[in-house]
Amino acid sequence: SSAHEAASLEDYLAAVKDRLRLILILGLLGLVIGYLIGANGTDQFRASAKVVVNPTPVGSTIDGRLVAPNLDREVEIIVSDGVATDAVSILGTDEDPLPLRLEVETEFIPDSDVIRISFFADDKERVAEVVNAFAAAYVDQRVQAQRDFYDNRIAGLESNIEVAEEGITQAAEAIGSLDAEREELISDPNENVELNRSRLDSISVQRATLITQQNTGLADLRVLRTEVTALEAGRDSEVDAAVLLSEALEPRFAQGFSNTTLAIVGLLAGLLFGVIFAFVSSRLDRSADSEEEVAAALGTGVVGVVPDLGWRNRRGSAALAMLSEHKSVRIHRAREAYRRLRTSVEFLGRANDHRTFLITSSHPGEGKTVTASNLAVALATSGERVVLINADMRRPAVEKMFGIPNSENGLSAFLGGVVDKLELEAVEQAPNLFIVPAGPMPANPGELLASDRFASLIDEVSDQCDVVIVDTPPVAATADASAAAASVDAVIVVVDAKSTSLDELRVTRADLERAGANVVGAIINRDATRDAGLFARRNAYAYGRADGS
């Protein structure tokens, strides 16, 4: 499908199927990475304690009324230097309190006066000890501040009571002195009456003043004693300013994900990335792996689809699947593909009176020589008299595949006029197959293939056999194929499903059409879409044993 078309479920499934091995590899890689991350990581443990912050007169009164504590301020107190120092003292270590308090975490419990104190570390015993030490140090400090508040107020009032009692005592003593003086004046008749009366009046005034002072002191004393009683009652009845709600316990499990979880997450992430990559690469892939796309790009139909032989069977005699004695599924499927290709070529020959076929490709390495050779063998084994001409004089490979020498009197020598008679090499394993070796590499192979001598050779050979197969260099690499195409009845283009792009096929088509070639079909090589799985493998083995091929 085109890149701009909307993706369907079939597109996704096809992309996954085509790249299933890559997806599985990425999944396995994710599994390994996830496991290694978990195995190489250090377990981190977390412990938490909770403290309740209760209202207290210490710094939290408005107009004499207790109000809810300011939790923001209390959080700052928990991680203060004073609490951290006391916590280190509780821990019994000599470590620096500053780094420790910076690692302690605090948070409010919503809709409550509870603060959670937490600590992370790789030692599960230490995390609980540190949290409990900070919680205990904070509670102790806040409770102590509460007690100090009451004790200081009571101590101040008791000091005022002592002053008041001393004033009352002094007033009483002064009144007693005045009363004694008054009695003495009254009991002494010899004194001047006027003088005594004046002194008695003065004593009465002083005595009244002292009594007033004494009564005021007594009233103040009663008030002070009432306040002391009230403070003592409040101190004894008020709840503690902070209470440890729950202490931290030694954690049983590490924080974060386990090794197994990380491995599973890595596996799923790898598979997901593989699927995404498979679909994106599929949508961006312009390789010619679809029969419809190949046919549209070349303007002709696909006459055969050949599966991948595997990298071990791409060169030399191992690539001759039609002559191979191997019983593998891969070789059997290739033989069946070449037989179907033979049927298509025979039909083209009968329907259009084509007897000479040129096999080429867009670029080197797409398997055109392997395809031409196996097709020639397939035609020969069906009873056709076949001549395979190696016209790839630049990089001849047919001879190596069949194990025959590249004769000095080969095609290049004949076309160059060095020899007048062309000798055909017979193939022992395929009695009806004859090969024309490429010969020594000439200086101008393209001109030789465009010559009348080459056209005459094709006509002469075709009169002596049933089918002529011509193997030429790739179209994009040289002009040899285009030059030779005018001398044959039909051209068949080999397309590598894994590497040939649609754009390259369009260029190849244009080059061949400009040379007057008759492109009659395409062969999709190294196709990986026709494997039907386990049952296909079973059938392949079964048929392979049955037909002995």
Side-chain angles (χ1 to χ4, degrees):
S1 58
S2 301
H4 63 274
E5 293 177 352
S8 64
L9 178 60
E10 289 76 10
D11 294 326
Y12 284 103
L13 295 178
V16 170
K17 179 181 178 182
D18 292 342
R19 295 164 175 81
L20 182 58
R21 181 176 299 177
L22 174 63
I23 294 173
L24 294 178
I25 291 175
L26 290 176
L28 180 60
L29 180 62
L31 174 68
V32 173
I33 292 175
Y35 177 80
L36 290 177
I37 291 175
N40 294 328
T42 302
D43 289 338
Q44 293 291 318
F45 297 92
R46 180 177 188 267
S48 299
K50 296 178 182 178
V51 294
V52 179
V53 184
N54 294 314
T56 173
V58 182
S60 58
T61 57
I62 298 178
D63 297 331
R65 296 181 295 105
L66 293 179
V67 296
N70 186 333
L71 295 184
D72 288 323
R73 185 176 67 87
E74 298 304 321
V75 163
E76 295 298 324
I77 294 175
I78 291 175
V79 294
S80 65
D81 289 337
V83 172
T85 301
D86 290 349
V88 169
S89 177
I90 294 174
L91 290 172
T93 63
D94 57 355
E95 60 187 301
D96 186 357
L98 178 59
L100 194 62
R101 74 177 182 83
L102 294 177
E103 296 177 6
V104 172
E105 298 180 358
T106 57
E107 61 176 332
F108 306 134
I109 303 298
D111 302 322
S112 71
D113 292 333
V114 177
I115 298 176
R116 180 186 288 116
I117 306 172
S118 303
F119 185 70
F120 286 88
D122 56 3
D123 185 344
K124 60 182 180 180
E125 295 181 359
R126 175 173 168 77
V127 292
E129 292 175 353
V130 169
V131 169
N132 288 331
F134 268 82
Y138 167 71
V139 170
D140 289 345
Q141 280 201 12
R142 203 165 195 275
V143 170
Q144 188 60 47
Q146 178 187 28
R147 292 172 181 170
D148 290 344
F149 172 83
Y150 283 104
D151 291 344
N152 292 336
R153 291 291 299 274
I154 292 173
L157 291 174
E158 288 178 344
S159 176
N160 292 336
I161 288 174
E162 291 180 358
V163 172
E165 287 177 342
E166 184 178 353
I168 292 171
T169 301
Q170 291 176 354
E173 291 176 353
I175 291 172
S177 298
L178 292 173
D179 287 342
E181 184 180 357
R182 178 183 176 188
E183 290 295 331
E184 183 180 351
L185 290 174
I186 293 174
S187 63
D188 186 3
N190 297 321
E191 287 288 337
N192 189 306
V193 176
E194 292 295 330
L195 181 61
N196 288 348
R197 184 179 291 112
S198 175
R199 179 58 183 158
L200 288 172
D201 291 340
S202 177
I203 289 173
S204 298
V205 172
Q206 292 180 27
R207 191 174 184 279
T209 299
L210 290 172
I211 291 174
T212 301
Q213 291 178 355
Q214 187 180 43
N215 291 335
T216 300
L218 289 172
D220 291 341
L221 184 61
R222 285 193 295 272
V223 171
L224 290 174
R225 286 174 174 170
T226 301
E227 290 182 6
V228 170
T229 302
L231 284 174
E232 289 176 342
R235 179 190 60 187
D236 297 337
S237 63
E238 189 175 274
V239 297
D240 288 341
V243 178
L244 180 62
L245 185 62
S246 62
E247 68 176 4
L249 301 177
E250 182 178 311
R252 298 176 57 188
F253 305 102
Q255 292 292 301
F257 300 107
S258 65
N259 291 357
T260 302
T261 302
L262 287 174
I264 294 175
V265 170
L267 172 64
L268 295 177
L271 292 175
L272 177 61
F273 178 77
V275 171
I276 294 174
F277 178 80
F279 179 69
V280 171
S281 61
S282 175
R283 299 294 288 176
L284 297 178
D285 185 15
R286 303 304 298 150
S287 61
D289 55 0
S290 164
E291 293 188 29
E292 294 79 7
E293 292 175 336
V294 170
L298 283 177
T300 185
V302 175
V303 297
V305 179
V306 180
D308 190 359
L309 289 174
W311 64 271
R312 294 182 178 180
N313 302 317
R314 289 185 180 180
R315 290 180 175 83
S317 60
L320 282 173
M322 293 304 300
L323 297 178
S324 175
E325 296 181 356
H326 291 290
K327 304 294 184 180
S328 68
V329 174
R330 191 186 295 273
I331 294 298
H332 170 76
R333 293 179 66 238
R335 281 197 293 263
E336 290 301 315
Y338 287 125
R339 288 167 184 159
R340 287 191 291 269
L341 173 60
R342 173 188 65 194
T343 302
S344 298
V345 172
E346 288 176 339
F347 176 79
L348 284 174
R350 290 193 299 268
N352 302 286
D353 194 23
H354 294 332
R355 298 176 59 194
T356 58
F357 296 88
L358 184 146
I359 308 296
T360 188
S361 63
S362 297
H363 292 279
E366 294 178 306
K368 50 110 184 144
T369 300
V370 174
T371 303
S373 300
N374 279 286
L375 174 59
V377 173
L379 289 167
T381 55
S382 69
E384 301 277 2
R385 185 177 174 85
V386 182
V387 175
L388 173 59
I389 299 176
N390 186 3
D392 190 349
M393 294 175 281
R394 300 174 187 269
R395 297 176 61 185
V398 171
E399 295 79 7
K400 293 181 180 179
M401 293 182 63
F402 287 95
I404 62 175
N406 187 6
S407 174
E408 293 291 329
N409 297 328
L411 179 64
S412 61
F414 176 78
L415 296 179
V418 177
V419 295
D420 293 329
K421 185 178 180 180
L422 193 63
E423 295 182 2
L424 303 180
E425 295 283 348
V427 178
E428 182 179 351
Q429 301 95 321
N432 293 324
L433 177 60
F434 301 90
I435 296 176
V436 177
M441 179 177 175
N444 54 345
E447 296 179 4
L448 295 179
L449 293 175
S451 65
D452 294 336
R453 191 173 179 85
F454 178 72
S456 299
L457 171 64
I458 296 295
D459 292 338
E460 180 181 350
V461 173
S462 64
D463 290 338
Q464 300 175 9
C465 65
D466 298 315
V467 180
V468 177
I469 303 294
V470 181
D471 178 33
T472 67
V475 174
T478 69
D480 297 3
S482 299
S487 301
V488 298
D489 297 330
V491 175
I492 298 177
V493 180
V494 175
V495 179
D496 189 343
K498 296 182 178 180
S499 65
T500 308
S501 71
L502 296 175
D503 294 334
E504 290 170 342
L505 285 183
R506 295 186 184 96
V507 173
T508 298
R509 172 186 176 184
D511 290 343
L512 291 173
E513 287 180 347
R514 281 193 295 269
N518 179 26
V519 182
V520 298
I523 301 172
I524 297 179
N525 191 33
R526 296 169 188 162
D527 176 71
T529 63
R530 294 175 180 264
D531 186 3
L534 177 61
F535 296 104
R537 296 176 65 86
R538 290 178 177 174
N539 293 337
Y541 277 115
Y543 279 105
R545 290 194 299 268
D547 64 11
S549 56

